[in-house]
Amino acid sequence: MTAPADIDLDYVQLGDTGIQTSELQFGTWRFGKETAEGHLEIDEDRGYELLDAYDAAGGRFIDTADIYGGGLAEDWIGNWLEDRERERYTIASKIYWQIRDGDPNSRGTNRKNIRHRIDEILDRLGTDYIDVLYIHRWDDATSAREMMKTLNQLVESGKVDYLGASTLRPNAWKVTRANDIAHENGWEPFTVLQPRYNLVDREIEGDYLEMARHDGLAVCPWSPLGQGFLTGKYDREDGLTDEESRAAEATHFEESYLTPENFLAHDELDAVAEEVGATPAQTALAWLMHRDGITAPILGARTTEQLAENLGAARISLAQDQVDRLTAAKKGPYADI
């Protein structure tokens, strides 16, 4: 697989960690994922093609989780890495969701679960360590002290280099409290954050982004295209197709994204995209890459063609006026952030 034309991704600093990451990261959450009809969204061969295309474009940051495809994503990444120099890549994975029916201890960030699962992650990836280990969600049943102490032990053992928090909702005070505990005890703190953030999902603006900037934490947003809404595939009149409406998440998606407010924001996105000669998806990604405090968005794609289009965002330069117009197209909770 050759690199998408004219794409050679730059490196950006991953917060205060001192390491460099690709300006666009590659997410593997669709690897091995079954559709409602029992098919795989991305099978093994397609997974390798996507990894090849990302690698050929200079991409070096691969994001996964131990539940993606029931472990298949990590297996496939591990197989793909066998013929490559492991040290050239930054690999991130995540721990949280329950993996064994009837076993409540196989969920969350308790010590028993974390210690067991990190070894399985490393085995599937075929590596001695991972660069970033995220907690996939906050576990309110486990004390922050126990969680941070256990995660620190993984760093001290050499199994993990850096710690991160991947979250659905902004919770700056939880990150700050956990990091305060880590600093008080000389433990490794969270240094990388992975929130949902895009042109129409703006809930992290305000305290969360301010906290990240103040503390020098990397911010690597997931869902940078609003689950496909910002690609331009939906319109006001048609909404979801019958096939799309059969998905379990269809009602939530329609209520969350197919709203008059979001379509107004999309109108501005379309206008800016036309001005810079790019697709709406590329322009939405470029806006994120121009936002203060954002380190590197995480891309997903079903095909190498989609991936090539998304990687093209690295070529898009937006004027400050265009960034401001897109930012103002939908107000976040703190419009001046």
Side-chain angles (χ1 to χ4, degrees):
M1 173 61 62
T2 58
D6 302 326
I7 299 295
D8 187 13
L9 295 178
D10 288 334
Y11 286 94
V12 294
Q13 180 135 336
L14 191 67
D16 284 348
T17 64
I19 68 171
Q20 302 288 308
T21 179
S22 300
E23 60 183 330
L24 290 168
Q25 301 176 3
F26 182 59
T28 61
W29 64 88
R30 289 194 176 98
F31 281 29
K33 180 181 177 182
E34 285 195 11
T35 67
E37 292 77 23
H39 306 299
L40 296 185
E41 285 198 27
I42 295 176
D43 62 19
E44 188 169 4
D45 288 341
R46 177 67 57 80
Y48 296 149
E49 291 175 1
L50 289 164
L51 289 167
D52 284 344
Y54 178 66
D55 181 56
R60 297 294 181 265
F61 195 112
I62 301 170
D63 180 85
T64 191
D66 64 354
I67 63 162
Y68 292 168
L72 287 177
E74 290 178 334
D75 275 333
W76 298 348
I77 293 168
N79 293 341
W80 183 82
L81 284 170
E82 284 183 359
D83 299 326
R84 290 167 175 81
E85 188 179 352
R86 163 68 179 90
E87 283 298 319
R88 291 182 61 84
Y89 301 91
T90 304
I91 309 297
S93 192
K94 310 177 193 73
I95 289 176
Y96 176 82
W97 298 107
Q98 187 164 332
I99 57 174
R100 290 186 298 276
D101 292 340
D103 180 4
N105 292 322
S106 70
R107 173 189 175 97
T109 58
N110 63 78
R111 183 175 296 120
K112 178 179 177 65
N113 190 38
I114 289 177
R115 285 179 171 174
H116 169 71
R117 288 169 73 164
I118 187 63
D119 290 332
E120 292 192 335
I121 288 172
L122 296 177
D123 183 62
R124 284 191 291 267
L125 288 170
T127 184
D128 295 328
Y129 73 99
I130 56 174
D131 299 273
V132 181
L133 177 67
Y134 290 101
I135 60 167
H136 213 156
R137 293 291 185 270
W138 287 97
D139 178 10
D140 291 326
T142 300
S143 72
R145 177 183 174 82
E146 174 174 331
M147 175 182 67
M148 297 309 291
K149 183 177 182 179
T150 305
L151 292 173
N152 179 70
Q153 290 169 347
L154 299 186
V155 175
E156 289 186 337
S157 71
K159 294 179 179 181
V160 173
D161 281 346
Y162 299 101
L163 303 176
S166 178
T167 57
L168 179 63
R169 296 180 179 86
N171 39 36
W173 74 268
K174 289 185 176 181
V175 175
T176 299
R177 176 57 182 149
N179 277 359
D180 283 346
I181 291 171
H183 291 309
E184 288 165 4
N185 290 276
W187 299 336
E188 182 73 16
F190 291 123
T191 51
V192 189
L193 303 177
Q194 193 183 85
R196 177 177 62 187
Y197 187 48
N198 56 62
L199 189 63
V200 294
D201 286 312
R202 307 286 286 277
E203 64 265 56
I204 71 167
E205 294 180 354
D207 289 349
Y208 192 92
L209 273 183
E210 186 64 27
M211 173 271 298
R213 281 195 291 259
H214 180 271
D215 294 346
L217 307 182
V219 179
C220 306
W222 57 272
S223 194
L225 296 178
Q227 297 182 36
F229 174 74
L230 296 171
T231 66
K233 65 182 291 187
Y234 303 100
D235 59 46
R236 289 173 171 84
E237 289 75 25
D238 296 337
L240 298 178
T241 66
D242 289 341
E243 182 177 352
E244 291 164 338
S245 297
R246 288 196 291 271
E249 303 89 357
T251 300
H252 172 74
F253 178 86
E254 197 155 12
E255 293 175 349
S256 299
Y257 289 103
L258 306 187
T259 66
E261 182 183 25
N262 285 349
F263 276 116
L264 286 174
H266 210 305
D267 290 341
E268 192 65 48
L269 175 64
D270 291 338
V272 173
E274 185 173 357
E275 290 169 10
V276 297
T279 67
Q282 291 171 334
T283 308
L285 289 166
W287 174 78
L288 272 177
M289 298 170 75
H290 282 72
R291 290 290 279 159
D292 181 35
I294 300 303
T295 305
I298 306 170
L299 302 179
R302 289 186 175 88
T303 67
T304 54
E305 291 76 19
Q306 287 178 349
L307 180 59
E309 177 188 348
N310 292 344
L311 290 172
R315 292 198 302 256
I316 307 303
S317 179
L318 300 178
Q320 188 58 51
D321 172 68
Q322 293 169 324
V323 174
D324 293 342
R325 284 163 51 199
L326 290 170
T327 303
K330 181 174 180 179
K331 300 294 185 183
Y334 297 88
D336 60 342
I337 297 298

